[in-house]
Amino acid sequence: MKREWDLLHTPGPTPIPPSVERSMNQPMIGHRGEKCKELMNDIAPRLKPVFGTSGDVLVVTGSGTSALESAVVNVTQPGDDVLVVVAGAFGDRFAQICETYELNVTRIDVPWGEAVEVDQVERALRENSNVKAVFLTHCETSTGVMHPIEKAAERVKEMSSALVIVDGVSSIGGAELDMDGSGIDILVTGSQKAMMLPPGLAFVAVREEVWPVIEQNPRPRFYLDLNVYRKQLQAGQTPFTPALSLLFGLQQMLHLVEEEGLENVYHRHLVMKEMTREAARALNLPLLVSDEDASSTVTSIKPETFEAEQFRKVAKEEFGLILAGGQKHMKGQIFRIGHMGYCRPANVLQYISIIEIVLKRLGHEFTPGAGVAAAQAAYLKHTRED
Ligand SMILES: Cc1ncc(COP(=O)(O)O)c(C=O)c1O
C-alpha cells in the first residue's frame, strides 16, 4: 500500500497538488445542468494554450491510450498506409493500435534510447508515396527520449499531405509543443502525468483544418467519435457522463499553470532535467539518453555497478522513493525518474540526496555530496534571482 510519506517519482502517475486535490473533493453536480456547462465553457478555451493550438481540445473520459485510439479511428480507414516511429514501448503501442485497426503500417524503428532523425522520416515518406498519416511520440516515456517533433512535423508537411498525429502523453503540460505552428494535426495526452491530475482523462487536440477528414471518415466508431465530442463541446457538454471530479481538478490545474505562466512551467521542467542529469554525471551514473535527445520530464539511468531493480527496492523500502523500472527488454536494465507536473527543483534536490544514500548502501563509488552539489550548481546556472 502507498504510504502517506512516499515520494512518487515515476513518469506517471505523478503527485497531485493539494489545491487540485481539494478542488476534486466537491459535491457532485449533474452533467446536463448549468454548472457543468459553465465548467466546460471555462475549461475549453483555457486548455488550448497548453496544447499550442487554437483548435478544439476534446476531453474524453479514459486513459491516454483511449486518446491514441481515438486519433487512429477518426482519421483512418482499413488499408490506409501509415508510418509509425517506434523508439520504445509507446511508439510500439501506437503501431499496435494502427495494426489492430487494419492499417498498412510501416514502422520506422529507432534504437531504444535514441531519437528519430528527421531524415529517417523523410526517407520513409519517399519510400511510401501514399502515406495517410505519420504517428509520432513526443516523449518516449519508456526511455526518456524527447523526439524532435516540431522539425519532423514540418518536414512531413513540406513533403506530403500526410497527417501528423502526436502522442504527447508524458510531455504535454510540461514541455512546449507548437502544435499549430509546426503543423501537428492531432495531439493527445492523458491526465496523470505533466497535467497534475489523477488518471482518467484523455485529451485530444485537433487542428481546425483536420475536421473535414474526421467528418467524412466512413469508419464506424461510437464512444470515440470525435465529431460527437466536438458538437457537444460547442454546447458546453460532453457526449457521455464525464469524470466530473477530474474536471473540477482540471479547472484548478489550469489556474495553477496560468498563475505560474506556461513559459515558466516549461523552464522549470528544463531546469529539473539539467539538475537530474548533472547529478547523475557527478555520481558516475550512466545516462541512457544523450543530452541532445533527453526529455525534460523523465530521465533514465542505466547502472553498471549494481542492479537497477535492487536500487529501486532499497530506495522504496528505506525512503519511500518510488522510481520506475525499465519496460519490455529494458526491464532490469534501467530505472527511470519522473520529474514532471507537480514537481519542483526542491524535489529534485531531495531525490538526489536520497539517491546518494542508496548508492552508498549498494557500494557504488562516488564522492559523497557530489550529486547534490552538481544539482545545486545546475539550478544556479539555469535560474537567476529577480
Ligand atoms: C508516451 C505514452 N503514451 C501512452 C501512454 C498510455 O497511457 P495510459 O496508460 O494512460 O493509457 C503512456 C503511459 O505511460 C505514455 O507514457
Side-chain angles (χ1 to χ4, degrees):
M1 202 172 93
K2 187 179 185 309
R3 295 165 298 184
E4 293 221 39
W5 55 84
D6 277 349
L7 304 165
L8 183 63
H9 279 285
T10 59
T14 60
I16 313 298
S19 67
V20 172
E21 276 181 354
R22 286 194 298 276
S23 296
M24 290 190 296
N25 193 12
Q26 283 183 46
M28 200 36 61
I29 58 173
H31 72 292
R32 297 291 177 224
E34 262 320 295
K35 279 213 164 92
C36 186
K37 206 169 165 181
E38 274 168 31
L39 182 64
M40 286 302 294
N41 285 338
D42 180 53
I43 288 168
R46 294 166 74 194
L47 274 171
K48 296 179 184 208
V50 179
F51 288 77
T53 187
S54 59
D56 285 327
V57 181
L58 308 168
V59 185
V60 177
T61 301
S63 83
T65 306
S66 71
L68 304 188
E69 186 158 339
S70 77
V72 173
V73 296
N74 278 278
V75 299
T76 66
Q77 295 174 59
D80 279 348
D81 290 337
V82 298
L83 301 177
V84 186
V85 171
V86 180
F90 294 103
D92 181 57
R93 180 170 302 181
F94 233 164
Q96 281 183 44
I97 296 171
C98 290
E99 283 153 5
T100 303
Y101 282 97
E102 299 176 333
L103 305 183
N104 183 20
V105 178
T106 300
R107 291 174 178 239
I108 305 176
D109 284 309
V110 177
W112 286 43
E114 291 178 22
V116 69
E117 285 173 21
V118 177
D119 289 348
Q120 275 177 282
V121 179
E122 174 170 340
R123 268 199 305 283
L125 268 177
R126 285 196 197 290
E127 284 161 17
N128 299 271
S129 55
N130 204 17
V131 170
K132 175 80 175 285
V134 180
F135 292 85
L136 299 139
T137 313
H138 186 204
C139 171
E140 178 46 77
T141 327
S142 61
T143 60
V145 161
M146 208 162 250
H147 292 286
I149 294 299
E150 291 175 353
K151 288 196 184 107
E154 283 162 16
R155 186 72 64 89
V156 173
K157 292 293 165 187
E158 278 160 27
M159 292 182 59
S160 71
S161 58
L163 298 171
V164 177
I165 318 279
V166 175
D167 169 353
V169 172
S170 60
S171 61
I172 296 306
E176 188 168 11
L177 208 47
D178 180 6
M179 178 172 169
D180 287 352
S182 58
I184 296 169
D185 293 296
I186 299 187
L187 174 58
V188 305
T189 195
S191 50
Q192 76 274 23
K193 302 196 185 225
M195 298 290 282
M196 304 195 286
L197 291 163
L201 292 183
F203 302 91
V204 187
V206 182
R207 211 154 61 90
E208 204 50 44
E209 292 80 347
V210 186
W211 280 107
V213 180
I214 298 174
E215 282 160 7
Q216 288 153 29
N217 187 358
R219 189 199 278 281
R221 64 256 196 217
F222 191 84
Y223 187 74
L224 295 176
D225 186 350
L226 295 179
N227 288 308
V228 191
Y229 281 87
R230 186 195 199 200
K231 195 163 154 246
Q232 292 283 350
L233 186 67
Q234 283 158 357
Q237 298 260 315
T238 54
F240 312 105
T241 315
L244 285 154
S245 305
L246 295 182
L247 294 183
F248 297 147
L250 174 60
Q251 194 175 34
Q252 175 60 15
M253 173 272 177
L254 289 167
H255 173 70
L256 291 179
V257 166
E258 287 159 5
E259 194 174 55
E260 186 175 355
L262 263 177
E263 289 306 310
N264 297 328
V265 170
Y266 299 147
H267 182 66
R268 169 165 54 84
H269 284 80
L270 290 170
V271 171
M272 294 192 293
K273 166 181 92 164
E274 293 299 334
M275 292 173 73
T276 305
R277 292 178 66 81
E278 288 304 326
R281 272 191 267 269
L283 296 172
N284 309 323
L285 289 175
L287 291 155
L288 177 70
V289 177
S290 72
D291 284 344
E292 204 190 1
D293 298 344
S295 165
S296 56
T297 56
V298 52
T299 298
S300 295
I301 307 284
K302 194 168 190 294
E304 284 164 2
T305 62
F306 55 88
E307 297 292 325
E309 289 306 291
Q310 181 63 10
F311 179 88
R312 289 207 308 131
K313 185 165 180 279
V314 176
K316 183 175 172 201
E317 282 176 2
E318 200 163 339
F319 290 97
L321 174 62
I322 301 174
L323 304 170
Q327 291 175 282
K328 300 205 175 180
H329 70 271
M330 287 254 163
K331 201 170 169 54
Q333 287 187 31
I334 60 170
F335 64 87
R336 296 173 296 146
I337 308 168
H339 35 80
M340 69 178 105
Y342 183 49
C343 182
R344 308 196 69 81
N347 304 106
V348 179
L349 292 173
Q350 182 187 43
Y351 68 62
I352 297 297
S353 172
I354 294 171
I355 284 173
E356 290 202 13
I357 298 179
V358 178
L359 290 175
K360 272 279 160 227
R361 294 268 190 253
L362 298 184
H364 179 73
E365 291 204 0
F366 67 99
T367 308
V372 173
Q376 289 171 333
Y379 176 80
L380 290 169
K381 184 174 165 195
H382 296 286
T383 55
R384 63 178 177 83
E385 266 183 74
D386 284 319

